[in-house]
Amino acid sequence: MIPSALTAPEPGWTARTDIVVVGSGIAGLVAALRCRPHGRVLLVTKALLDAGSTRWAQGGIAAALAPDDTPGEHLADTLVAGVGLCDEDAVRALVTEGPDAVRDLIDLGAAFDRADGGTIALTREGGHRRRRIAHAGGDATGAEISRALLAALKDSGVEVIEHALVLDLLKDPDGRAAGITLHVMGEGQPAGVGAVRARAVVLATGGLGQVFSATTNPEVSTGDGVALALRAGAEVTDLEFVQFHPTVLWLGEGARGQQPLISEAVRGEGAHLTDLAGERFMVGRHELAELAPRDIVAKGITNRMRQTGAACMLLDGRHFGAAMWEARFPTILAACRHHGIDPVTEPIPVVPAAHYASGGVRTDLHGRTSVPGLYACGEVACTGVHGANRLASNSLLEGLVFAARIADALPGDLADAPGPGEAAAVPSGPGAGGLPDPARRADVQRIMTGHAGVLRRADGLAAAARELAALPGAGAAPGVAAWEAANLHTVASAIVAAARRREETRGSHWREDFPERSDADWRGHLVTRLVRPGTGNDRTELVTTYEPAKGTGA
């Protein structure tokens, strides 16, 4: 059973604000900064302010900044990568507002790498037909963006609580979001379970990569925002589209947890993928070869591994030379050398690993979810930008643009909203259910990696559903590890439900038993909700429905 609320002690303290933002990646920080003029803002984050996925972003941020590039061309590349499921209005907002959003980031103090003439240095990544990826510190773009935003946060008047795990949404009697419950761990003050009453709640909790055994995501990426939204009755969309990054450093059989990413920008600068015999297997498979969209490259690598029996493929950038590696990719160079690989003199062993959730909490063009007063932006959200497969380096831009769009919409939305504490907040669900043993986290990851990874089949997905349903769900004491295990179980169950329903191969969803794309039957979205089958029934179940996509697709 999926719980309708997490088992937790009653809140021992209460805070009040106008807007509470959950998460401190690019989306959360921009949302907090941009919302500050509209009222009091409290930002809560699960670990330290810079511990999320943004600081790990290597490649850069995509925007039509070059004289020979246009938002229209960026839109076209995004639609192709999304394989017919992008919301074109959302993509148009992204690509037209993106260049100015990046310039605003520069005005805020973000220092992007420059070309010899002083213009912003731009590179290419998979799926882009122009050089439009701005980067910083060679391959430390996320870290620089995070640094600049955190510097701006210091003097903004935004209140911050670190080491705070969000638990559940609070609602008023009319069903509107009225705040959150959260648990502040030992390093934070105040400590323990508490409640934040607010007029608006913005989820910017990041991804869900830890649902798999190997991922590029940090340990904090346990799908907390998606799980909270489901328990609160919000719609989530397209969860089956989990993008596996094609080139993650292979650390040997059985590697678990966060794995070192080898940025797509390495291929953008001319590195080649080969098998262990030295053959470039992506040539002829796609017109862009190694720079094809990520789903195509991940499938190409996986197929070649199966054909040859190899445990990994190779990424060869030896022709770059030491100077280029040190200047352009210092972070990747250091990570490889730390693990005993020197890219200057030898190819890098790579495999695909879970990287990014293209689906998430369903929103409109201003971040509004199906629950009034609840907003979402960044990876936790499904804005419609990414479709079935995110175009490289559109993620940072999406967080930047759509966080600002939430802030633009809030003054009007808050005009008639009750003040924090004016309406009694009630729990978002009637029954809590049990918490799983924290040890079940590894079981969830094993099930998902074995049956719902890059390759999927009906029998494997059915086995995943059975095994997830059979995991014991009661008896564990409330605590961070048990709450995270519950969130991972909820998200995994929702991913499997959607993946079983979509009987085709599209984007990052690869069904071996349905190897072709089927626009006639499946050019649409799968919307998942957590519902109770009958009145007075505390049991909940996931229900996934199909909705045809708008427009003609790509």
Side-chain angles (χ1 to χ4, degrees), residues 124-128 245-247 262-275 278-301 304 313-317 319-320 350 391-392:
R124 280 184 69 196
E125 292 185 2
H128 293 273
H245 198 287
T247 53
I262 309 299
S263 170
E264 203 149 9
V266 177
R267 282 175 280 137
E269 296 292 352
H272 301 144
L273 280 168
T274 75
D275 59 21
E279 182 178 346
R280 286 183 63 188
F281 56 89
M282 286 303 299
V283 175
R285 184 180 177 91
H286 189 276
E287 61 177 314
L288 296 178
E290 286 91 351
L291 286 177
R294 288 178 176 175
D295 63 311
I296 295 172
V297 180
K299 292 171 188 175
I301 290 173
R304 196 63 159 195
M313 290 289 108
L314 300 175
L315 183 63
D316 194 347
H319 55 287
F320 289 174
V350 294
L391 182 65

Side-chain angles (χ1 to χ4, degrees), residues 98-183:
D100 282 343
V102 173
R103 294 183 187 104
D104 289 343
L105 201 54
I106 294 170
D107 291 341
L108 203 62
F112 288 94
D113 295 337
R114 300 281 173 167
D116 290 342
T119 58
I120 295 174
L122 301 172
T123 189
R124 280 184 69 196
E125 292 185 2
H128 293 273
R129 297 172 187 272
R130 297 281 188 184
R131 297 179 73 90
R132 65 167 68 96
I133 315 299
H135 48 85
D139 58 358
T141 309
E144 172 58 18
I145 290 174
S146 182
R147 181 206 62 77
L149 290 172
L150 289 173
L153 191 73
K154 288 181 180 179
D155 299 321
S156 66
V158 172
E159 299 176 74
V160 174
I161 300 178
E162 295 181 305
H163 304 287
L165 171 65
V166 65
L167 299 178
D168 278 305
L169 187 71
L170 297 172
K171 290 182 176 180
D172 67 20
D174 295 324
R176 181 183 176 85
I180 57 171
T181 56
L182 71 166
H183 173 75

